[in-house]
Amino acid sequence: MTGIRLHAPTPGWAIDADVVVVGSGVAGLTAALRCTAAGLRTVVVTKARLDEGSTRWAQGGIAAALGEGDTPEQHLDDTLVAGAGLCDERAVRALVTDGPGAVRRLIATGADFDKTADGEIALTREGGHHRRRIAHAGGDATGAEISRALVEAIRDRGVRFIEHALVLDLLTDAEGRTAGVTLHVMGEGQHDGVGAVHAPAVVLATGGMGQVFSATTNPGVSTADGVALALRAGAEVSDLEFVQFHPTVLFLGAGSEGQQPLVSEAVRGEGAHLVDADGVRFMLGQHELAELAPRDIVAKAIIRRMQEQDAEHMYLDARHFGAEMWAERFPTILAACRSHGIDPVTEPIPVAPAAHYASGGVRTDLSGRTTVPGLYACGEVACTGVHGANRLASNSLLEGLVFAERIAEDVVASAPGRGPAVPVEHPAPVVLPLLEPGARRRIQRTMTLGAGVLRSAESLRTASRELEALHLPPAAPDDEAGDRKSAEPGVESWETTNLLTVARLLVAAADRREETRGCHWREDHPDRDDARWHRHLVVRLTPERTLDVRTTDTSDFPPTLDAPREP
């Protein structure tokens, strides 16, 4: 345990539970439903409304070997190739083997996927897949449908939930085991202000960290709260240098910041072409799958073409789809484009890469256990080993689904021996100074310039110096930087402080990995180096607030706890 915690008021209220789930996407709600079904007192804590988890933004679909002729083994092979040598094969095998059944259980929960004329699940292809294995709903509204079904099930089963609540820190008992979380509820309701949920099991399902960059497909709530909490609690984080930049994000202008509209990979899966301003298909000859190559390859090809032509973006051409196909298969994307003055039925869509998905996160085993007893993680906040150096398209929803079920099994199996949660204060707590909210844009711009799609030792070390200047305590009460003053506790200052914590870790890992692999692209080390880097980086936060970065001995993850790892 680090003893580090955010500067926050003492909790003014507390409730008891058997398990608290933080997050309301596919991972969090699935874990909550399974724990509730087993009779555990379950509380869901979510930062916005229950139906506003990151899952609802997913367009393409969920990958599983559901089609005729497809097998989990083929799905495994595609996942390993995309992961560029750093996937944990045991985790991938669990994903692809459990996947079809997990999707069918999701359907039984109420999710309605698109069907073919003969009533079978309609399947499409996306980048890196050699088979049509992507199940979708509402054309390009898969995440929204999955979210709808799970939220409805949560309400029907009477699961207790707390909305508009930002999780702050992990509580522990006298033995260092998880004993719940502190949180701040925004606005009036049953609970208000800072409080606590006491529980012997905590499941982090807080989603991504895309807001650490200036432009991202992630919603505004994706401020790395789960990873930052886990670091302060002493948990290990791995592979955070592997941030996937989605190749085809609607280009809104060079100065655009915040959440950007995604143009799903499924558009390319249905036959759209990537072209430059002259209409030339530049992915031909780059990869056997052309536009359907893994995302890191497509993103790099777009950036290279932009550099060659001194262009701000490329184009995605799907005019040949016709109006009817656009309206039926991709209504969400069609509406988003038209709202920005672009009609994909009659003109190519301007696109450029933007931060999309964190392949790394809080390190877990195959049961979702972290290196802190009683703390679990699943979904984008976790590093299960499934994604390696680059996530395969549409494996994210499946990972959340499969590993949430595995977590619920472990929580339920462990419940009889866990007694009530009795939190105790750390003997020497370190209160983390908070950043002024205005530092958020400075962090984002620093990360986009120094640790974006293109990285180098020079760019990363510049970013590190700028982040460390924010991290260090102010030299004087009236520090000239302004945003280095210790801010008052509040949602924006807590979020900004979380972003800085994770940005420092990401830059340190990206600087240490001197090679190009998957979605980590070093201009000064353009080749993959298996001799030195066929292994993982594991990072911890020390009680002195420094980063302890080490490499694993092999590409296999060490166990998370003293207990033997699942075979």
Side-chain angles (χ1 to χ4, degrees):
M1 298 299 296
T2 67
I4 301 172
R5 58 180 176 82
L6 289 172
H7 178 35
T10 301
W13 54 268
I15 59 175
D16 294 322
D18 296 316
V19 56
V20 55
V21 177
V22 187
S24 61
V26 62
L29 295 186
T30 298
L33 284 170
R34 297 292 179 269
C35 288
T36 299
L40 298 186
R41 294 175 301 159
T42 304
V43 174
V44 174
V45 173
T46 186
K47 194 172 180 180
R49 293 200 308 267
L50 196 61
D51 60 355
E52 290 184 345
S54 294
T55 291
R56 69 188 289 258
W57 298 100
Q59 294 175 345
I62 185 167
L66 297 164
E68 184 177 352
D70 197 6
T71 64
E73 201 69 25
Q74 293 176 67
H75 190 182
L76 179 141
D77 289 343
D78 286 344
T79 301
L80 295 180
V81 168
L86 284 187
C87 295
D88 184 324
E89 187 169 337
R90 292 166 295 185
V92 178
R93 195 169 293 282
L95 177 86
V96 300
T97 303
D98 294 0
V103 172
R104 293 187 180 99
R105 285 187 288 277
L106 179 61
I107 293 170
T109 302
D112 185 15
F113 288 94
D114 295 339
K115 306 288 196 304
T116 63
D118 57 4
E120 297 297 319
I121 297 175
L123 301 172
T124 190
R125 274 184 70 192
E126 290 186 358
H129 293 273
H130 284 79
R131 290 271 187 177
R132 297 180 74 91
R133 65 167 67 97
I134 315 300
H136 48 84
D140 58 357
T142 309
E145 170 57 20
I146 290 174
S147 179
R148 180 207 61 78
L150 291 174
V151 168
E152 193 171 293
I154 286 284
R155 295 183 187 278
D156 287 348
R157 289 157 178 75
V159 180
R160 187 171 187 175
F161 57 87
I162 303 173
E163 298 180 310
H164 303 291
L166 171 63
V167 67
L168 298 176
D169 281 306
L170 190 75
L171 295 170
T172 54
D173 64 16
E175 297 178 351
R177 289 188 54 87
T178 293
V181 291
T182 56
L183 63 155
H184 173 77
V185 180
M186 301 166 261
E188 298 179 2
Q190 184 179 359
H191 305 290
D192 190 19
V194 174
V197 181
H198 297 162
V202 170
V203 180
L204 293 178
T206 51
M209 55 176 211
Q211 290 293 325
V212 79
F213 294 95
S214 295
T216 177
T217 62
N218 291 190
V221 294
S222 297
T223 52
D225 307 315
V227 174
L229 174 149
L231 282 166
R232 290 192 297 273
E236 293 181 349
V237 171
S238 187
D239 295 356
L240 216 60
E241 66 270 32
F242 297 115
V243 177
Q244 187 176 84
F245 287 76
H246 198 287
T248 54
V249 176
L250 185 62
F251 181 75
L252 301 179
S256 297
E257 296 182 341
Q259 186 178 10
Q260 313 286 299
L262 176 67
V263 182
S264 170
E265 198 150 312
V267 177
R268 280 175 283 140
E270 296 291 354
H273 303 145
L274 278 167
V275 299
D276 60 20
D278 297 322
V280 177
R281 285 183 66 188
F282 55 87
M283 284 306 300
L284 294 177
Q286 297 272 348
H287 190 275
E288 61 168 330
L289 296 176
E291 281 90 356
L292 288 178
R295 288 178 177 173
D296 63 306
I297 294 172
V298 179
K300 290 171 187 175
I302 290 174
I303 293 291
R304 285 195 188 101
R305 197 68 160 193
M306 287 164 56
Q307 290 176 328
E308 290 168 4
Q309 299 186 347
D310 193 24
E312 293 182 323
H313 60 83
M314 290 287 113
Y315 293 92
L316 189 64
D317 192 351
R319 290 174 289 180
H320 53 286
F321 285 4
E324 184 177 351
M325 179 175 174
W326 266 111
E328 292 182 0
R329 181 67 179 86
F330 300 111
T332 307
I333 298 169
L334 178 63
C337 288
R338 285 178 170 170
S339 72
H340 291 283
I342 300 156
D343 189 349
V345 176
T346 60
E347 59 186 316
I349 306 167
V351 294
H356 181 58
Y357 191 89
S359 293
V362 185
R363 193 167 75 79
T364 75
D365 64 10
L366 299 193
S367 295
R369 297 178 295 185
T370 73
T371 51
V372 174
L375 179 65
Y376 299 81
C378 58
E380 191 173 354
V381 70
C383 181
T384 62
V386 159
H387 304 309
N390 186 41
R391 174 176 68 91
L392 182 65
S394 287
N395 267 357
S396 53
L397 291 175
L398 189 71
E399 182 198 33
L401 194 62
V402 165
F403 284 88
E405 292 188 340
R406 285 174 160 258
I407 285 173
E409 285 183 20
D410 195 79
V411 171
V412 170
S414 305
R418 278 178 173 158
V422 183
V424 297
E425 179 66 35
H426 190 277
V430 177
V431 178
L432 191 63
L434 301 178
L435 287 182
E436 290 286 352
R440 179 168 175 158
R441 291 184 71 186
R442 183 174 166 187
I443 294 167
Q444 292 169 329
R445 290 174 179 175
T446 295
M447 292 298 291
T448 294
L449 289 172
V453 179
L454 296 177
R455 302 167 177 175
S456 68
E458 182 179 0
S459 76
L460 289 164
R461 285 163 196 173
T462 298
S464 179
R465 285 194 298 271
E466 293 179 2
L467 295 174
E468 287 305 308
L470 287 171
H471 168 68
L472 295 172
D478 296 321
D479 189 282
E480 291 182 2
D483 44 22
R484 285 178 59 196
K485 298 175 185 176
S486 185
E488 290 300 312
V491 172
E492 292 184 343
S493 57
W494 287 320
E495 286 182 335
T496 304
T497 304
N498 286 339
L499 286 173
L500 177 63
T501 298
V502 174
R504 292 178 62 230
L505 186 156
L506 194 161
V507 167
D511 184 43
R512 180 74 68 90
R513 184 174 289 279
E514 295 179 329
E515 66 160 353
T516 289
R517 182 188 297 268
C519 51
H520 172 64
W521 187 6
R522 285 285 297 262
E523 290 182 283
D524 51 341
H525 296 280
D527 300 317
R528 175 168 155 175
D529 185 355
D530 279 341
R532 294 180 60 220
W533 290 109
H534 190 215
R535 58 197 67 198
H536 301 273
L537 289 170
V538 177
V539 186
R540 291 177 58 253
L541 188 65
T542 71
E544 294 75 34
R545 297 171 57 211
T546 60
L547 297 174
D548 174 22
V549 185
R550 76 177 198 275
T551 57
T552 58
D553 295 330
T554 69
S555 61
D556 293 331
F557 277 126
T560 56
L561 298 169
D562 293 336
R565 201 182 149 145
E566 184 175 337

